[in-house]
């Protein structure tokens, strides 16, 4: 593990690290905040998945999570959103595809399949790697994210209910297989057979029988992507006749930015801490 930076914050440590990923076949960067409690005992782990165009740095610099994470004793891990490097395929003029837009899936189509294995990276390689280097309680894991990262968090939780004890999202893409800004990426990553897309679509996963105890979703009503990309009411409809509990909070005047995320970050951290206790 390469240490790119470390700084003390609220009695804990905020670090940025990199390693060579066998899954994505490139160097991957991630951030970890370790609370002061970790010097005495293993702490629960909360994964944060960022949205389109982002890296680990967006939430680390603008998410305002460290004070509350230190108070609650939560380790926060912030992976990158895609593979990186000069040899990694990309679409330079398309912010919804390629670098910064991995959609937390395992691509099956060329040229993307060689590197874009983000689902396996997030669920297998990175957890195994960080558990070797930090004092964390891997029996207490939660996951949350924003937009594309909210999509990733929800689908990963639905597919791994025995691993994660909590899941929440800020303005998630709940049905990417029908959303304007994700359908083209899904077709390029996964091919034209839409049946293969269902495993990376929260609404489809619920329809196909996947279950997770409960979700917390916060959504701004002034979000410019609300009507065509996010549509949280689709997930509300999907879980209506199931035993999945959904708390969907719609907020007047809030948009898609980190001003919105940072406003409700403490709520999400407390919510996860209760379920990871």
């Amino acid at each position: 593990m390469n240490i790119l930076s470390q700084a003390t914050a609220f009695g804990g440590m905020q670090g940025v690290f990199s390693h060579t990923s066998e899954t994505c076949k490139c160097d991957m960067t991630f951030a970890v905040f370790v609370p002061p409690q970790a010097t005495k005992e293993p702490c629960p782990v909360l994964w944060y998945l960022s949205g389109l165009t982002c890296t680990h740095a967006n939430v680390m610099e603008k998410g305002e999570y460290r004070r509350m994470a230190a108070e609650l004793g939560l380790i926060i891990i912030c992976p990158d959103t895609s593979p990186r490097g000069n040899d990694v395929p990309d679409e330079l003029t398309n912010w919804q595809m390629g670098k910064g837009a991995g959609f937390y899936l395992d691509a099956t189509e060329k040229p993307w399949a060689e590197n874009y294995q983000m689902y396996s990276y997030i669920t297998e390689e990175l957890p195994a790697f960080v558990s070797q280097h930090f004092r964390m309680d891997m029996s207490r894991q939660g996951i949350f994210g924003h937009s594309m990262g909210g999509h990733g968090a929800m689908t990963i939780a639905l597919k791994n209910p025995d691993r994660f004890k909590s899941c929440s999202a800020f303005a998630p893409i709940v049905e990417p297989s029908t959303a304007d800004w994700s359908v083209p990426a899904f077709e390029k990553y996964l091919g034209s057979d839409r049946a293969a897309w269902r495993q990376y679509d929260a609404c489809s996963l619920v329809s196909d029988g996947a279950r997770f105890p409960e979700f917390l979703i916060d959504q701004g009503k002034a979000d410019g992507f609300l009507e065509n990309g996010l549509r949280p009411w689709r997930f509300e409809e999907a879980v209506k006749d199931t035993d999945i509990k959904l708390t969907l909070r719609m907020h007047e005047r809030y948009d898609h930015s980190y001003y919105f995320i940072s406003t409700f970050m403490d709520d999400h951290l407390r919510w996860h801490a209760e379920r990871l206790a």
Side-chain angles (χ1 to χ4, degrees), residues 48-49 51 59 63 144-151 153-154 168-173 216-220 223 230 249 251 255-258 260-269 272:
Y48 179 90
L49 306 184
V59 69
F144 68 148
H146 170 232
S147 193
M148 178 185 73
H151 138 74
M154 293 172 68
S168 70
F170 302 99
I173 308 172
L216 168 64
I217 294 177
D218 277 312
Q219 173 66 61
D223 191 322
L230 305 173
R249 306 192 303 185
H251 303 280
D255 59 16
H256 201 66
S257 72
Y258 269 87
F260 159 64
I261 296 169
S262 62
T263 299
F264 300 102
M265 179 63 76
D266 283 2
D267 288 357
H268 282 245
L269 295 181
H272 284 278

Side-chain angles (χ1 to χ4, degrees), residues 11-244:
M13 184 278 296
Q14 176 66 70
V16 179
F17 310 91
S18 69
H19 74 121
T20 300
S21 167
E22 295 181 1
T23 303
C24 296
K25 296 180 174 59
C26 63
D27 289 342
M28 297 292 286
T29 300
F30 61 94
V32 181
F33 176 73
V34 180
Q37 295 88 333
T39 61
K40 298 180 181 179
E41 60 184 3
C43 292
V45 181
L46 186 54
W47 298 83
Y48 179 90
L49 306 184
S50 292
L52 285 161
T53 75
C54 293
T55 69
H56 68 281
N58 293 75
V59 69
M60 185 181 77
E61 296 171 356
K62 298 183 288 187
E64 301 181 22
Y65 58 79
R66 278 172 288 269
R67 180 187 60 81
M68 185 56 63
E71 179 181 321
L72 298 171
L74 296 173
I75 292 174
I76 311 293
I77 303 178
C78 310
D80 202 349
T81 54
S82 75
R84 306 279 175 173
N86 293 333
D87 297 329
V88 172
D90 192 20
E91 291 188 0
L92 295 176
T93 61
N94 183 4
W95 62 275
Q96 298 170 336
M97 185 69 195
K99 295 177 187 177
F103 277 96
Y104 304 102
L105 51 75
D106 284 349
T108 57
E109 303 299 301
K110 294 180 178 180
W112 313 101
E114 179 72 11
N115 302 101
Y116 286 78
Q117 301 293 309
M118 289 301 294
Y119 176 81
S120 293
Y121 176 71
I122 296 294
T123 61
E124 298 175 16
E125 184 179 22
L126 189 56
F129 184 79
V130 295
S131 65
Q132 299 174 25
H133 296 277
F134 300 94
R135 183 179 288 179
M136 52 182 61
D137 184 351
M138 299 300 279
S139 69
R140 293 186 290 163
Q141 295 186 68
I143 190 167
F144 68 148
H146 170 232
S147 193
M148 178 185 73
H151 138 74
M154 293 172 68
T155 55
I156 288 172
L158 283 163
K159 295 173 71 171
N160 299 273
D162 295 333
R163 179 182 302 184
F164 296 98
K165 295 183 178 297
S166 58
C167 180
S168 70
F170 302 99
I173 308 172
V174 300
E175 196 176 48
S177 64
T178 64
D180 290 351
W181 61 353
S182 47
V183 166
F186 270 46
E187 186 163 11
K188 291 175 184 178
Y189 285 137
L190 301 172
S192 58
D193 182 5
R194 297 201 173 202
W197 302 9
R198 298 181 68 84
Q199 63 180 312
Y200 301 113
D201 182 300
C203 290
S204 295
L205 282 167
V206 171
S207 177
D208 292 344
R211 294 293 180 265
F212 196 78
E214 58 180 327
F215 294 91
L216 168 64
I217 294 177
D218 277 312
Q219 173 66 61
K221 289 187 176 181
D223 191 322
F225 301 110
L226 178 59
E227 294 294 333
N228 295 324
L230 305 173
R231 306 169 300 167
W233 49 84
R234 296 283 187 118
F235 191 70
E236 190 174 38
E237 294 170 1
V239 303
K240 185 176 180 181
D241 296 321
T242 73
D243 57 357
I244 298 174

